[in-house]
């Protein structure tokens, strides 16, 4: 008789636990990293990137944008930024434009100790207007 009560109690506890788990999970806020990415379908922009690496005091800056077959004119601007006093500040900036399939900025720049990133603004125009956005590289400290 006692074993039937234990089995019944254990089964009831498991049912309550499993029924409550989805509710607990649903009420827990998710971080941005775990959120599903937002996908934007561009008409004129095919691909873009913004990268930064620092080696022996030299920053390697690269910004890139590739147009679709519907795109006509490309503009890309990569800005090296440093973090100081709670904000990002422009250090140097380079740009390129093209009516070719892609455009890029590839530069090196001497830096001293600090925290840096590259902000790459890109725009592609077409027959019905233009599309643009800004990508940020990973933050790099040296």
């Amino acid at each position: 008789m006692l074993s039937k009560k234990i089995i019944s109690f254990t089964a009831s506890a498991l049912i309550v636990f499993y029924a409550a788990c989805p509710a607990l999970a649903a009420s827990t806020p998710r971080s941005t990293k775990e959120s599903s990415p937002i996908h934007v379908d561009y008409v004129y922009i095919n691909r873009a990137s913004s990268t930064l690496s620092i080696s022996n005091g030299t920053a390697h800056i690269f910004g890139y944008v590739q147009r679709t077959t519907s795109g006509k004119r490309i503009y890309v601007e990569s800005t090296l930024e440093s973090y100081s006093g709670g904000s990002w500040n422009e250090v140097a900036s380079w740009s390129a434009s093209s009516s070719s399939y892609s455009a890029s900025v590839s530069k090196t720049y001497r830096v001293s100790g600090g925290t840096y990133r590259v902000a790459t603004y890109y725009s592609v125009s077409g027959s019905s207007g233009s599309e643009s956005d800004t990508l940020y590289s990973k933050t790099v400290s040296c």
Side-chain angles (χ1 to χ4, degrees):
M1 185 71 147
L2 183 60
S3 65
K4 284 185 179 181
K5 286 183 181 181
I6 292 173
I7 292 172
S8 177
F9 174 76
T10 303
S12 297
L14 287 173
I15 290 169
V16 169
F17 175 77
Y18 283 113
C21 282
L24 291 173
S27 66
T28 306
R30 293 171 40 162
S31 72
T32 306
K33 282 186 174 181
E34 295 173 323
S35 297
S36 299
I38 297 171
H39 179 70
V40 178
D41 289 322
Y42 287 114
V43 174
Y44 305 130
I45 299 168
N46 188 39
R47 184 172 36 165
S49 65
S50 182
T51 59
L52 170 66
S53 63
I54 299 176
S55 176
N56 297 324
T58 301
H60 302 272
I61 295 99
F62 186 69
Y64 175 81
V65 65
Q66 182 183 77
R67 68 175 178 82
T68 64
T69 54
S70 299
K72 303 295 179 210
R73 186 94 180 130
I74 302 170
Y75 175 79
V76 60
E77 181 178 340
S78 290
T79 303
L80 178 65
E81 299 177 336
S82 66
Y83 188 75
S84 178
S87 63
W88 290 99
N89 306 294
E90 181 178 330
V91 175
S93 187
W94 305 270
S95 63
S97 60
S98 174
S99 55
S100 182
Y101 190 57
S102 64
S104 64
V105 169
S106 182
K107 297 291 181 182
T108 59
Y109 190 86
R110 292 292 291 170
V111 294
S112 56
T115 301
Y116 298 89
R117 73 179 181 185
V118 171
T120 299
Y121 168 82
Y122 55 94
S123 176
V124 179
S125 60
S127 58
S128 298
S130 65
E131 299 168 335
S132 62
D133 205 348
T134 301
L135 283 177
Y136 294 92
S137 70
K138 290 184 178 179
T139 301
V140 180
S141 296
C142 62

